[in-house]
Amino acid sequence: MSHEFAPFGQGRHLLSVLQFDRENLRALFELADAVDPIAKRQAVCTVLDGAMLGSLFFEPSTRTRLSFESAFLRLGGEVTTTTGFTFSSMAKGESIADTSRVVSGYSDVLVVRHPDEGSVGEFAAASVVPVINAGDGTGEHPSQALLDLYTLEKELTARGKTVDGCRIAILGDLKFGRTVHSLMKLMSLHDGLDFTLFSPPGLELPPGVKEYVEARGHAVHVVTSVAEAVRGVDVIYATRVQRERMATDLAQANAHGDLLNRAILADAGNLDAIIMHPLPRDSRPDSYDLSDDVDDLPGLAIFHQTDNGLNVRMAIFLTALGVSLEAVHLTTKQRPWKATLR
Ligand code: ASP
Ligand code: CP
């Protein structure tokens, strides 16, 4: 009898944060720490020499696509990519199943973003190689939640705190924001969490996510103002209004000005809070997002998240392809050219 290689708890694909427990989460984070010199380009690795990533993004993306692709390249692999429907034969009516089977024949692993919930699971069902969910509609964004939690743990540790017992405010579009859905479920692996939620009317968290978190013993408070939400918390996770997912712009009717800014934090006496956001931040006027007047505050972690995304995505590839840390060390050498970064 053959046993399926199951690097992410259930099966070889990474589709949902529900595939994680404390043990495989810790293993992934240790791998993410171990590849730090490669992520920071102090060392050069060729462990994925000859491997090909198929990168399929049918929705806009900056950091997820580029950090997955950079992660694969930094491990010595190669990348083939398609973006949007226009330049894929899906524009000619090709199905997800056919597309996935075809591209998986050219690749060793696929990373897929698609606007429909459940669609990346359909890619996985037809693929001959592991598939990683880079965001499926309003469903999940597991690699984002993993990098968010990896970052949060580091930020809290630096302050002598732990994720266990953490008080977190989650703000913004909790209905359509898939990063919130994934993060709340993944964080629930920890103990004694206290979530405070604020969203404009019409953009509330789906009841299923709240029930999931409460069933694991965590407190969830829903409040009616941002000021109330951010008072006394350790961390604030702000999100963008997902306008592209709404038939009519609910936020335009219900929310104006900034979602969160320095004045709100000052009034709440919490200028030191850890500030996170999955990004992109919508910097257009009246977009109802995180103001850039918080950017010099000590707790701003948004670019730590984006930097850490590289480590976490390298760890995801190594796990998906069953590559040991020993193999990484054997194929890594010091970089012969001068460092300019971080
Ligand atoms: N970039 C994240 C996502 O694709 C969050 C966002 O777009 O607001 O889900
Ligand atoms: N956080 C995130 O998924 O960003 P992109 O949409 O730019 O990939």
Side-chain angles (χ1 to χ4, degrees):
M1 198 177 111
S2 75
H3 293 279
E4 195 187 14
F5 175 55
F8 299 112
Q10 298 152 23
R12 62 199 175 127
H13 309 292
L14 173 51
L15 300 175
S16 165
V17 291
L18 301 185
Q19 293 170 243
F20 284 87
D21 54 28
R22 288 283 282 252
E23 207 181 320
N24 61 358
L25 187 65
R26 184 58 38 214
L28 190 88
F29 286 0
E30 281 173 10
L31 208 43
D33 283 342
V35 296
D36 196 50
I38 307 167
K40 290 196 167 66
R41 289 198 266 159
Q42 293 153 353
V44 180
C45 177
T46 54
V47 75
L48 294 188
D49 190 16
M52 179 66 78
L53 165 66
S55 166
L56 308 179
F57 277 73
F58 300 103
E59 272 193 333
S61 171
T62 294
R63 73 228 76 230
T64 308
R65 184 169 72 85
L66 295 182
S67 63
F68 265 124
E69 293 180 0
S70 300
F72 209 78
L73 291 166
R74 284 195 194 174
L75 290 169
E78 293 171 77
V79 176
T80 180
T81 188
T82 185
T83 53
F85 288 100
T86 317
F87 297 107
S88 140
S89 281
M90 282 189 152
K92 303 183 215 171
E94 190 162 39
S95 67
I96 285 181
D98 284 0
T99 305
S100 181
R101 172 60 190 86
V102 170
V103 184
S104 66
Y106 308 149
S107 315
D108 298 284
V109 57
L110 299 184
V111 171
V112 184
R113 171 173 288 187
H114 190 282
D116 296 336
E117 185 168 352
S119 56
V120 182
E122 288 177 48
F123 274 91
S127 170
V128 296
V129 299
V131 174
I132 295 163
N133 182 0
D136 63 327
T138 54
E140 282 231 31
H141 195 344
S143 67
Q144 179 70 44
L146 289 163
L147 76 88
D148 287 343
L149 184 52
Y150 180 75
T151 305
L152 177 57
E153 191 174 284
K154 289 194 182 305
E155 300 292 327
L156 287 167
T157 303
R159 290 162 176 77
K161 297 179 181 174
T162 59
V163 179
D164 292 325
C166 163
R167 293 162 301 167
I168 178 167
I170 305 189
L171 314 178
D173 183 348
L174 310 185
K175 177 176 181 177
F176 296 107
R178 58 192 170 198
T179 70
V180 170
H181 308 163
S182 289
L183 180 62
M184 288 185 71
K185 288 188 231 166
L186 188 65
M187 283 187 74
S188 293
L189 290 173
H190 286 268
D191 297 321
L193 303 178
D194 192 287
F195 293 95
T196 303
L197 309 180
F198 168 80
S199 54
L203 297 179
E204 291 84 7
L205 189 75
V209 181
K210 185 169 179 282
E211 283 155 21
Y212 181 93
V213 169
E214 285 174 336
R216 276 148 191 83
H218 306 294
V220 182
H221 319 278
V222 178
V223 298
T224 53
S225 77
V226 174
E228 199 184 338
V230 301
R231 199 164 293 126
V233 295
D234 305 300
V235 49
I236 301 164
Y237 189 91
T239 65
R240 177 182 70 89
V241 177
Q242 311 281 297
R243 297 193 154 83
E244 69 276 26
R245 305 207 188 281
M246 299 169 194
T248 53
D249 192 336
L250 291 167
Q252 219 153 38
N254 293 321
H256 298 280
D258 296 326
L259 170 67
L260 181 67
N261 58 29
R262 198 185 187 99
I264 296 172
L265 286 168
D267 284 349
N270 205 357
L271 283 169
D272 289 338
I274 298 165
I275 301 172
M276 299 178 69
H277 190 302
L279 301 183
R281 166 166 61 175
D282 188 342
S283 297
R284 291 170 292 194
D286 215 21
S287 61
Y288 202 62
D289 206 334
L290 178 66
S291 166
D292 63 10
D293 73 359
V294 304
D295 283 11
D296 61 351
L297 291 177
L300 190 85
I302 61 179
F303 300 117
H304 301 168
Q305 289 169 267
T306 54
D307 287 346
N308 287 336
L310 204 50
N311 298 53
V312 169
R313 289 178 171 130
M314 287 167 74
I316 288 171
F317 285 132
L318 294 172
T319 306
L321 295 171
V323 180
S324 68
L325 194 53
E326 193 191 1
V328 173
H329 289 320
L330 285 172
T331 51
T332 299
K333 57 179 197 256
Q334 284 307 300
R335 184 178 59 172
W337 39 278
K338 191 168 167 6
T340 52
L341 301 169
R342 301 192 268 145

